[in-house]
Amino acid sequence: MPIKVLAFDGDDTLWHNETHFELTQGEFRDLIKRHVPDVDVGARLFATEMANLKLYGYGIKSFTLSMLETAIAITEGRIPAADLEVILGWGKRMLQEPTELLDGVVETLREMAGRFTLLVITKGDLFDQESKLARSGLAELFSAVEILSDKNVDSYRKVLSRRGVAPADFVMVGNSLHEQVEEDSLPGKGWYRLTSIRELGPLLASLDRASPYAD
């Protein structure tokens, strides 16, 4: 069947995200090293985030809570309340930062919205992701936002089943495949690598033409 539903990851597919985390993590590292100079702050923060994943999930709020917990643990509770307030402020700043769209996103989404039903399917906090979409100015182009606890086959099947979408009618656009699978272990077919989202329209047109159900 021809493609009917097109879903996008949000973070680092439609808008910049990782750069905000990297900037804040750098600030956090500098702050903590003023108290404990020889600690590997990045490793300790990552371990805390992984330990908290099932409790907090993904997103800025969980990242902020993990920074606070890590700061208290590394300093053995000696970190001043003023520094904890600084860390909390970083989290609030991240939640309010403008949504900086990647190059080509606006034009591509406006074109795709005229051809397909558009969804956002991503991990993270629902309020945070909906807020990012609202600040992007593109919310009107999407039918819904779906938040997954993890991106795996069962999660996608549940979304498609709930929305009455056949897998053959569905295409997912994002970078999660490369986050979870080593380069030499990627499947031989069923996915395509694009250097820019601007290449999406021509790719989907070629897939529709190749469909045995195409006119």
Side-chain angles (χ1 to χ4, degrees):
M1 298 288 290
I3 299 164
K4 297 178 181 177
V5 178
L6 191 58
F8 292 85
D9 192 357
D11 296 337
D12 297 314
T13 297
L14 299 179
W15 47 71
H16 292 280
N17 179 67
E18 191 60 32
T19 52
H20 300 310
F21 281 89
E22 291 173 353
L23 173 63
T24 303
Q25 187 165 327
E27 294 173 322
F28 178 68
R29 181 179 60 249
D30 293 343
L31 184 151
I32 297 301
K33 281 186 172 292
R34 292 203 296 269
H35 298 283
V36 185
D38 59 350
V39 68
D40 187 339
V41 179
R44 292 288 296 272
L45 176 58
F46 180 76
T48 304
E49 288 183 279
M50 292 301 100
N52 288 336
L53 196 57
K54 289 185 179 180
L55 184 62
Y56 298 150
Y58 298 89
I60 293 171
K61 295 173 187 175
S62 62
F63 177 64
T64 304
L65 289 170
S66 291
M67 282 195 295
L68 291 168
E69 182 178 339
T70 303
I72 294 168
I74 289 177
T75 64
E76 298 180 337
R78 296 190 303 272
I79 187 167
D83 284 349
L84 296 178
E85 288 179 359
V86 169
I87 295 170
L88 185 60
W90 292 336
K92 291 180 178 179
R93 177 191 67 190
M94 292 176 71
L95 286 168
Q96 299 176 76
E97 284 177 320
T99 303
E100 184 182 356
L101 297 173
L102 295 170
D103 181 57
V105 163
V106 174
E107 302 92 325
T108 299
L109 288 184
R110 293 198 183 282
E111 177 191 352
M112 296 300 101
R115 298 165 54 189
F116 310 103
T117 297
L118 303 187
L119 304 175
V120 171
I121 301 182
T122 190
K123 294 187 295 188
D125 176 79
L126 177 60
F127 180 82
D128 181 27
Q129 295 295 341
E130 288 183 334
S131 176
K132 287 179 183 176
L133 185 58
R135 297 197 305 272
S136 75
L138 299 171
E140 64 181 15
L141 301 179
F142 289 88
S143 297
V145 176
E146 292 276 357
I147 300 297
L148 307 180
S149 58
D150 199 7
K151 291 181 177 177
N152 54 40
V153 172
D154 286 340
S155 295
Y156 283 108
R157 280 178 176 160
K158 289 177 182 177
V159 171
L160 297 185
S161 175
R162 185 167 62 251
R163 295 193 167 276
V165 178
D169 298 344
F170 174 79
V171 168
M172 180 72 202
V173 182
N175 62 351
S176 297
L177 179 64
H178 298 83
E179 291 176 354
Q180 300 182 22
V181 183
E182 295 294 333
E183 185 74 21
D184 57 3
S185 300
L186 289 170
K189 60 181 181 179
W191 66 278
Y192 302 84
R193 177 182 281 122
L194 304 180
T195 59
S196 166
I197 197 170
R198 296 180 187 278
E199 300 173 5
L200 182 60
L203 171 65
L204 296 178
S206 69
L207 293 178
D208 264 346
R209 288 195 298 270
S211 169
Y213 299 96
D215 293 335

